[in-house]
Amino acid sequence: MDLIIVLQAGVATGTILLFATLGEIFAERSGVMNLGVEGMMLLGAMSAFSIATRTGNPWLGLLVAMLAAGLISQIHAFISITLQADQVVSGLSLGFLATGLSLVLGEGLSKAGTITLIPSWTVPVLSQIPILGPIFFTDHKLLVYAGYIIIPLAWYYINHTRPGLHLRAVGEYPAAADSLGVNVYALRYLYVLVGGVFAGLAGATISLAIAPGWFSELTTAGQGWIAIGLVIFAQWDPLRAAFGAYAFGALRRLVLDIQAPMMLFGFRNPFYYNPYWGFFLEMLPYAFTIIVLVIGSREAIRRRLGAPTALGIPYIRGERGL
């Protein structure tokens, strides 16, 4: 087991979680919780693979994936913002709808064969840096490098720009933002759209780059739920989200690699000789997600972690409240 390879693979697979988590951070920062990330990712993965198969152009597939997931996210925006319905129920319903659409429209795609994928690239000079070079700058897909650029941009946008100030305002004190002329409804629609676009990007990253192909609901394998857990783990901060996404990516690869050798640190490898231990390891990321979601469901703990004050609360102009 080579630790460098584990970490390099963790950066690659962590990019999927990174995009999905950043999108959900934007949506939740505006006060709208969207639990349909898993479904939107699946729709993005299916759309990207389908378009790339038909046209031979993976970049067009990427664009369509982002548009498709962004458009379907507006159903959740309409229900939760305009109709002021429960965001949890609406988000879950969106996830089921997007998953169903993906499975119906993606019928037969698994037999599509070889397609053109997002290319890989090694960064000159930076790839020669000891340890860090092979992990972060060697033979990665271009979308991995795009993730490096988006992380600081997202952090700076949220914390140091006027649009970012408006985003935080509508998620913390929408009534105050409204009184200052900020259009709360329009901004919430916009950032739910942004969340959907990022989820579509995450799905396309799976099917066109990191794990190419269409494997129906196994394509995303619950990564959308892990992304939602990472939002709470990251305390709604893009930099912490990046650390969590890459760490989880490395953990998922470690779980696979640790089962391969017969000997581990000079001892019989229990994960090699007893496959049930391997199943237990594979369960860990999802167990973590459940624990984080349970903790995050408690209002007092969520506020202590820094959750937006108005998260999950519909805004009604003229009504007393946040």
Side-chain angles (χ1 to χ4, degrees):
M1 186 176 63
D2 188 330
L3 190 58
I4 296 292
I5 293 177
V6 170
L7 294 175
Q8 185 188 36
V11 170
T13 56
T15 301
I16 301 165
L17 293 172
L18 172 70
F19 289 147
T21 306
L22 287 179
E24 185 63 10
I25 285 176
F26 275 107
E28 293 197 8
R29 281 280 195 166
S30 74
V32 181
M33 182 189 302
N34 188 352
L35 298 182
V37 177
E38 175 79 6
M40 293 189 296
M41 285 177 64
L42 200 60
L43 184 65
M46 184 279 299
S47 304
F49 193 74
S50 176
I51 296 299
T53 301
R54 295 169 191 274
T55 65
N57 187 337
W59 299 107
L60 184 59
L62 189 74
L63 179 62
V64 171
M66 295 164 69
L67 287 174
L71 284 175
I72 202 168
S73 73
Q74 293 305 284
I75 296 176
H76 175 60
F78 176 72
I79 294 173
S80 61
I81 299 170
T82 301
L83 301 183
Q84 295 156 1
D86 186 276
Q87 294 180 8
V88 173
V89 176
S90 175
L92 289 173
S93 302
L94 175 72
F96 292 132
L97 173 64
T99 299
L101 276 177
S102 305
L103 297 182
V104 171
L105 298 177
E107 179 68 25
L109 269 182
S110 57
K111 302 173 183 173
T114 306
I115 65 167
T116 305
L117 302 176
I118 302 292
S120 300
W121 187 51
T122 295
V123 182
V125 182
L126 293 178
S127 61
Q128 303 303 315
I129 299 173
I131 301 177
L132 296 181
I135 294 173
F136 290 101
F137 304 110
T138 301
D139 198 28
H140 278 304
K141 298 290 184 183
L142 292 180
L143 291 175
V144 173
Y145 301 115
Y148 298 162
I149 298 171
I150 291 173
I151 295 164
L153 288 180
W155 176 82
Y156 186 82
Y157 178 88
I158 291 174
N159 296 295
H160 296 284
T161 66
R162 180 171 290 276
L165 177 64
H166 291 169
L167 165 63
R168 286 181 283 133
V170 299
E172 297 288 348
Y173 305 105
D178 195 8
S179 67
L180 293 174
V182 177
N183 191 329
V184 176
Y185 298 111
L187 280 186
R188 286 189 168 181
Y189 265 94
L190 172 64
Y191 287 110
V192 171
L193 176 69
V194 170
V197 167
F198 268 98
L201 175 60
T205 303
I206 299 174
S207 62
L208 295 180
I210 307 301
W214 171 248
F215 313 101
S216 63
E217 67 270 24
L218 297 178
T219 306
T220 50
Q223 293 185 79
W225 295 107
I226 295 177
I228 292 171
L230 278 175
V231 172
I232 300 171
F233 171 81
Q235 297 178 288
W236 293 265
D237 179 81
L239 298 182
R240 293 195 189 102
F243 171 78
Y246 293 141
F248 260 77
L251 177 63
R252 296 183 74 214
R253 177 56 186 255
L254 179 65
V255 166
L256 296 176
D257 285 15
I258 204 171
Q259 300 176 56
M262 297 175 67
M263 302 296 290
L264 193 65
F265 306 118
F267 299 95
R268 281 167 54 92
N269 184 357
F271 304 109
Y272 177 85
Y273 289 100
N274 188 342
Y276 293 107
W277 281 105
F279 297 148
F280 178 77
L281 282 179
E282 292 173 9
M283 183 187 72
L284 286 180
Y286 303 100
F288 168 83
T289 303
I290 292 172
I291 293 170
V292 169
L293 289 177
V294 169
I295 293 173
S297 67
R298 295 181 64 85
E299 184 69 21
I301 296 177
R302 204 167 58 188
R303 287 192 177 183
R304 194 177 301 169
L305 290 174
T309 308
L311 178 61
I313 303 173
Y315 175 63
I316 304 171
R317 181 175 289 164
E319 190 171 273
R320 294 188 66 180
L322 293 171

